[in-house]
């Protein structure tokens, strides 16, 4: 099998399709939800408050800053570390920085490889914790579908295969191709699944923030 041809396709046409679908899909999703909010809950905009919205977002980005997080401290820190690693490694891994530069002419600061390795292991550990939590806590298990487990696995596997390929623990070419394919599938899934909360979170927290604060003078955290 000619791995170079497959690699060139995945990092060429397939990569461009993935990013166009990812960005375009998120923009369409946000536009449709904005249109729906105007139709179903226009009154929310009467209480728009940038200050309350921003405070709500910030409070939910800081571990244990909200009352709900303090009630579940272990879950909160696991979720925080999971999402931190999920963003930091793909954006700032040194190998990815080279790809950003080659594809888009974008040069970013890169993480030392040892940090990237550490964050990858943290993410995998956090994913295992989140999986076990979904299995053992009845109130969480009853709300969890097979699709939720699939999405958790799809979020974790690109990191696992990338880690194995980087350290060449296994067939390097196979692991590298798997890493790229799984990463692209993940990006395609984001706009059309609940993984879109990576963007919608900010709008949801802002809406709740200025609905509670601007309208009722109450904190949403």
């Amino acid at each position: 099998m000619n791995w170079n041809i497959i690699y060139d396709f995945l990092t060429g046409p397939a990569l461009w399709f993935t990013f166009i679908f990812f960005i375009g899909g998120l923009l369409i999703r946000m536009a449709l939800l904005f249109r729906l909010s105007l139709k179903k809950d226009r009154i929310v905009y009467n209480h728009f408050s940038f200050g309350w919205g921003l405070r709500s977002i910030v409070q939910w980005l800081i571990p244990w800053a909200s009352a709900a997080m303090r009630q579940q401290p272990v879950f909160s820190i696991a979720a925080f570390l999971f999402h931190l690693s999920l963003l930091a490694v793909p954006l700032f891994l040194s190998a990815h920085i080279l790809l950003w530069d080659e594809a888009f002419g974008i040069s970013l600061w890169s993480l030392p490889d040892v940090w990237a390795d550490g964050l990858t292991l943290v993410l995998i550990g956090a994913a295992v914790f989140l999986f076990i939590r979904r299995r053992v806590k009845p109130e969480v298990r009853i709300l969890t579908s097979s699709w939720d487990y699939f999405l958790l696995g799809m979020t974790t596997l690109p990191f696992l295969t990338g880690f194995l390929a980087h350290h060449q623990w296994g067939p390097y070419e196979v692991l590298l191709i798997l890493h790229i394919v799984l990463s692209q599938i993940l990006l395609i899934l984001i706009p059309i699944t609940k993984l879109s909360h990576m963007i919608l979170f900010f709008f949801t927290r802002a809406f709740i923030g200025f609905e509670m604060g601007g309208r009722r003078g109450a904190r949403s955290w």
Side-chain angles (χ1 to χ4, degrees), residues 10 12 25 31 37 53 57 69 74 97 103 116 130 152 175 182 198 204 213-214:
L10 290 174
S37 71
I57 292 171
M69 288 185 181
V74 178
I97 295 298
L130 295 174
L152 180 61
L175 288 170
L182 290 168
M198 67 172 288
T204 302

Side-chain angles (χ1 to χ4, degrees), residues 198-215:
M198 67 172 288
I199 293 294
L200 300 181
F201 161 85
F202 297 95
F203 295 94
T204 302
R205 293 317 320 174
F207 266 56
I208 296 174
F210 60 71
E211 164 68 8
M212 294 294 292
R215 186 177 183 182

